[in-house]
Amino acid sequence: MSDHGIGVMASGRGSNLQAIMDACSDGTIPGHVALMISDNPDAYALHRASKENIPAFCINPTSFDTKDQYEQAVSDLFIEYGVELICLAGYMRLVGPVLLKNFVTKMLNIHPALLPSFPGLHAQEQAVSYGVKYSGCTVHVVDEGMDTGPIVLQAVVPVIQDDTPDSLSKRILEQEHKIYPQAIKLLLEGRLKIEGRKVEIL
Ligand code: GAR
């Protein structure tokens, strides 16, 4: 089995990072997390990575004059650490062209809604307010848009009468932790054929 280098970007709690690290440890994902980068110095994700002896750095965008300079620093570090695939795991910024350039079709994101419904921030709150009966999560290839890239996997959960954004988030998160490692495995095994918007699983 190949041991691919995975880079993770996370801004907060890092439960998806944990699911990815666990799936690497138990052999579900044929790779290892080679580097974790956060844009937030207080992100719990940094502790999670350090606890597992994974190199983890905060690169603070406010330390750079431009977004391009920030993304160049992030990109250089991922390349230095041998990262082949970047997984955005609760990374709360729009990826720009400088970071994307070296990782076209090699960057995945998880979003807590059934895209193309409810992109952007507070997706679970958007779903509850709208009154949909089903929501879920989506793993997609990252492109230059906001949650617009080709869809790899989705999981559906019911929205229950008295759901709050919090209760719905918990139900969705359980599914996130299942489908994100699956999608990463498929990509690293070369089993995703991406043609335009369509992703075929081989
Ligand atoms: C997850 O629900 C993820 O889908 C979402 O942030 C949460 C991060 O949780 N991402 C987005 O909303 C991106 N637009 P985690 O830090 O525990 O993985």
Side-chain angles (χ1 to χ4, degrees), residues 56-183:
F57 302 109
C58 172
I59 304 206
N60 198 331
T62 60
S63 315
F64 297 83
D65 288 337
T66 65
K67 178 168 173 155
D68 283 0
Q69 286 171 8
Y70 159 69
E71 289 204 339
Q72 190 62 58
V74 170
S75 180
D76 289 349
L77 213 50
F78 276 135
I79 290 166
E80 185 186 327
Y81 276 76
V83 165
E84 299 161 58
L85 166 69
I86 296 177
C87 298
L88 307 182
Y91 177 65
M92 295 305 184
R93 288 173 193 273
L94 186 64
V95 172
V98 171
L99 182 52
L100 200 51
K101 166 176 98 234
N102 291 313
F103 294 93
V104 172
T105 74
K106 300 286 178 207
M107 195 185 298
L108 294 175
N109 180 42
I110 181 112
H111 183 74
L114 293 176
L115 291 170
S117 292
F118 313 129
L121 295 177
H122 312 301
Q124 304 93 331
E125 196 179 314
Q126 293 184 57
V128 170
S129 305
Y130 199 92
V132 292
K133 301 297 187 194
Y134 292 93
S135 188
C137 48
T138 303
V139 179
H140 65 91
V141 177
V142 176
D143 65 10
E144 53 292 325
M146 169 75 81
D147 302 322
T148 53
I151 290 170
V152 178
L153 291 178
Q154 291 185 302
V156 179
V157 306
V159 181
I160 295 165
Q161 186 64 35
D162 294 326
D163 258 336
T164 61
D166 213 36
S167 61
L168 178 60
S169 298
K170 286 196 182 111
R171 197 173 308 120
I172 292 173
L173 201 60
E174 276 179 36
Q175 297 305 315
E176 294 186 36
H177 297 163
K178 290 182 186 160
I179 68 168
Y180 209 2
Q182 283 171 16

Side-chain angles (χ1 to χ4, degrees), residues 6 8 17 20-22 24-25 32-37 45-57 81:
I6 299 165
V8 177
L17 163 70
I20 294 167
M21 293 189 299
D22 292 348
C24 290
S25 300
H32 64 284
V33 179
L35 177 64
M36 207 291 288
I37 293 179
L46 287 164
H47 293 279
R48 290 187 192 263
S50 300
K51 266 197 280 179
E52 309 224 2
N53 296 318
I54 287 166
F57 302 109
Y81 276 76

